[in-house]
Amino acid sequence: MPIIQLRNVKKDYFLGKVIVPAVKGVSFSIERGDFVSIAGPSGSGKSTILNMIGLIDIPTSGEVIIDGKNTNGLSDQELTRFRHEVLGFIFQSFNLIPVLNVWENIEFPLLLGNTRLPKNEWKNWIDFLIGEVGLGEWRTHKPNELSGGQRQRVAIARALVTKPSIVLADEPTANLDSATGEQIIDLMKKINREIQTTFIFSTHDAKIVNIADHIIRLRDGAIIENRRNGEDIIDEGAIVASVED
Amino acid sequence: MNTVLPRIAARNLLRQKKRTVLLAGAIAFGIMIVTLINGFAGSFIKNVSENFAYLMGGHVFVSGSEYTASGKRISVIRDDSVIMQALSDSGEKWSSLQKTSETSATLIFESKSIRQNLTGVDLAHSAMLKERLALIKGSWDNLAWPNAIIISQSVAKKLNVLPGDTVVAQFQTITGQNNVGEFRVAAITVDSSFVGAMMTYVQLDYLNSLIGLGKNEYMSLGIMLEKLDRSGAFANSLYTSMKGMGLQLFDRSTKQQESGSTTPFQSMIREQNNETWTGTKYRVYTIDDVLAQAKQIVVALDTASVAILIVLFAIVMIGISNTFRMAMYERIREIGTMRAVGVQRTEIRSMFLYEALFLALAGAVAGIILALIAMTIASLINFDAQSPVFLILKAGHLSFYLPPLRALGNILIIAVLTLVAVYAPANAAAKMPPAEALRTVK
Ligand SMILES: Nc1ncnc2c1ncn2[C@@H]1O[C@H](COP(=O)(O)OP(=O)(O)O)[C@@H](O)[C@H]1O
Ligand SMILES: [Mg+2]
């Protein structure tokens, strides 16, 4: 079973009386453990789709099914709990909590919700992640003492700390120079291989798109290419639509 | 319990140090003012009562009034045997009795003079004097001298006298004739209590003979109780007891209602001024009756302090509310991030409320500490013996008493007001949809 399914998902924004159709009914599936890229020019709807997968935004219509669970109609509280348990987030502008140091930023998600690891296990796990992202020397530094690349590494460790099934990264390299950006993508890919976490990242940088196993290309809120391991996938939305016709 | 949110809240406060210091400073200033008022009001009535009790020689008093043949009203108790009977019949307990007469006199020694109130008591047998006075010169034995006078250190210094010296006193008799008398300095007392510095004691019998009262006569009976707060009840039963023995008495109970805001003491005085009688008419009153107006001052001060607290903080709270609204917009992306990572709406709200609470507590505690420092400094000031504010002083210094419950109450008021001020912005931050918060770029 795919870990993520979008079924005819639409998102309209309302600017006063003007309706902006940001996502125009897209359907696709993502397989567990894949390294997925959502590509497309600025304004094509990448962020909107990632936000809906990430349960921080709600579709105008259609269904978002994550880990077999239809997320329609969940309360804000349930969505928050779901995000905490199943999803990890990496942002374009890193979004670390400025008053927490590296170690505390990574630990932060573990302090939320109801589930608690044993303290010892938890500490070892954070230390392991800090090692993985190469910030062993920086654990007590505050975000503003780090470079952009280092901050994004902290963000990656933070996204992974709750052992989520899915990590979402909205243009994680957009605020980095291209060399650092590539390192970040390589790191994500390495972790994806090592611990089988599904990674979905968006980018408008053609160079890094091709590292992905599964590429979903957007234009104007619609899918123009859906290709996994070199093979085109037939537009599931079109199938749904034709069956409904 | 999740401690990371309060921790972040506390650190967020330190992020904008200037802003935090300003807001906490405003809170601290308000609390300081209010605490000073409370501290002053708290000790005011206590000091005034204690000083008055000492000055007047009792907590409950009986005095008599009568008209002379020429129609002049004088203060005198001619025969106290009925009063003593009434006292023991009342069933109340007291710690000491003191019969006193008083006159205002000018004391003269060589070329120096000073105006003093002379209080005539039975020097050798006064329990209260032995208990209250500390001698620095002279001796208790000298108090057997029939014309002994006890003066305070400051009076001794002004007149430049030593024990054994004889001073001359000029005064008027009860009927208004000028008279003089000679007194021999028996002892000089430490000005320990501030009021003590004002008191000059002489032998009751000698004073009576000089001002025209007979032996066994005096002006006022002072009754010291074990506890000041028993004085009202004591006076009431003594009054009833004296009434029962057929003595003429100025009404003591029901006057307050009739004449509005006047005190029982005032209405007694008024009654005395409005009527004439024959024989002796007695008055029973307490320190509290005399000081009822002082008590009204305390109530007024405390009410004013609450009003100040609220007005001052209405202003401060507007500032705090606006500042938190600003802070919420500044941190909107952090809020979005936290929400994405799994922080619940209610927790975002709590985080801002924690921040507000810490700010309020820091400000309030700082304000109380500042007030305590100010009180300590103010109470170091030594007031002059002739200072007109002596009645509110304790041993010549300002004193403050801050009732702990009142301090706690003030902190509570501030905490609640701050939370109320911050609730709306905190709630707005909590309600912000995460996608929208994350999209915002500042
Ligand atoms: N809050 C919003 N209000 C109105 N229009 C929006 C809003 N968010 C996004 N859009 C519009 O939706 C479209 C898709 O935006 P977005 O998903 O951010 O694209 P991308 O991430 O690919 O740049 C764009 O046309 C954008 O202007
Ligand atoms: Mg985008």
Side-chain angles (χ1 to χ4, degrees), chain A residues 11-16 18-23 38-51 57 92 170-171 202-204 218 220-221, chain B residues 435-436 439:
Chain A
K11 180 72 187 183
D12 297 331
Y13 288 111
F14 298 90
L15 280 178
V18 185
I19 298 174
V20 182
V23 174
I38 295 181
S42 183
S44 58
K46 303 182 296 294
S47 295
T48 306
I49 286 179
L50 279 178
N51 285 348
D57 210 349
Q92 178 178 330
D170 191 2
E171 307 212 32
S202 71
T203 184
H204 59 265
L218 300 175
D220 295 335
Chain B
E436 204 173 304
R439 188 163 42 236

Side-chain angles (χ1 to χ4, degrees), chain B residues 422-439:
Chain B
V422 168
Y423 192 83
N427 213 29
K431 288 258 168 69
M432 176 73 71
E436 204 173 304
L438 281 166
R439 188 163 42 236

Side-chain angles (χ1 to χ4, degrees), chain B residues 310-329:
Chain B
I310 287 169
V311 170
L312 219 56
F313 283 100
I315 299 165
V316 174
M317 292 311 143
I318 292 169
I320 289 183
S321 183
N322 286 337
T323 307
F324 271 75
R325 208 169 288 279
M326 237 158 69
M328 172 204 142
Y329 283 110

Side-chain angles (χ1 to χ4, degrees), chain A residues 13 51 56-57 76-77 80-81 83-84 89 91 93 95 97-100 104 107-109 111-112 158, chain B residues 2 4-5 7-8 11-12 15 333-334 337-345 347 433-435 438-439:
Chain A
Y13 288 111
N51 285 348
I56 55 180
D57 210 349
D76 182 82
Q77 193 184 13
T80 304
R81 202 177 299 143
R83 282 198 298 273
H84 180 241
F89 290 86
F91 302 93
S93 33
N95 292 17
I97 296 168
V99 294
L100 301 181
E104 291 167 330
E107 182 194 35
F108 181 68
L111 299 169
L112 305 171
R158 178 179 66 185
Chain B
N2 189 347
V4 69
L5 296 172
R7 202 162 76 215
I8 291 176
R11 292 192 197 171
N12 275 340
R15 242 160 115 180
R333 215 150 42 92
E334 281 161 52
T337 306
M338 289 186 183
R339 294 284 284 118
V341 167
V343 177
Q344 295 286 0
R345 269 183 183 163
E347 293 175 314
L438 281 166
R439 188 163 42 236

Side-chain angles (χ1 to χ4, degrees), chain A residues 56-181:
Chain A
I56 55 180
D57 210 349
I58 292 162
T60 311
S61 68
E63 290 171 352
V64 177
I65 297 151
I66 295 180
D67 233 353
K69 186 174 170 97
N70 192 331
T71 60
N72 271 8
L74 293 184
S75 70
D76 182 82
Q77 193 184 13
E78 288 165 327
L79 290 172
T80 304
R81 202 177 299 143
F82 204 96
R83 282 198 298 273
H84 180 241
E85 283 162 10
V86 179
L87 299 158
F89 290 86
I90 297 167
F91 302 93
Q92 178 178 330
S93 33
F94 326 127
N95 292 17
L96 300 179
I97 296 168
V99 294
L100 301 181
N101 67 25
V102 167
W103 210 90
E104 291 167 330
N105 259 288
I106 297 170
E107 182 194 35
F108 181 68
L110 290 180
L111 299 169
L112 305 171
N114 302 320
T115 47
R116 289 278 183 282
L117 289 171
K119 191 85 193 173
N120 208 23
E121 210 173 297
W122 163 338
K123 215 179 142 299
N124 290 340
W125 172 231
I126 296 172
D127 285 339
F128 169 78
L129 285 173
I130 289 188
E132 277 289 285
V133 299
L135 289 173
E137 313 280 282
W138 298 85
R139 59 186 68 218
T140 58
H141 286 251
K142 287 277 167 67
N144 62 6
E145 297 159 359
L146 305 178
S147 71
Q150 288 171 322
R151 290 185 204 187
Q152 202 59 303
R153 287 162 186 274
V154 178
I156 291 171
R158 178 179 66 185
L160 292 165
V161 77
T162 53
K163 304 188 178 169
S165 328
I166 305 158
V167 171
L168 300 167
D170 191 2
E171 307 212 32
T173 62
N175 281 350
L176 301 172
D177 61 70
S178 59
T180 313

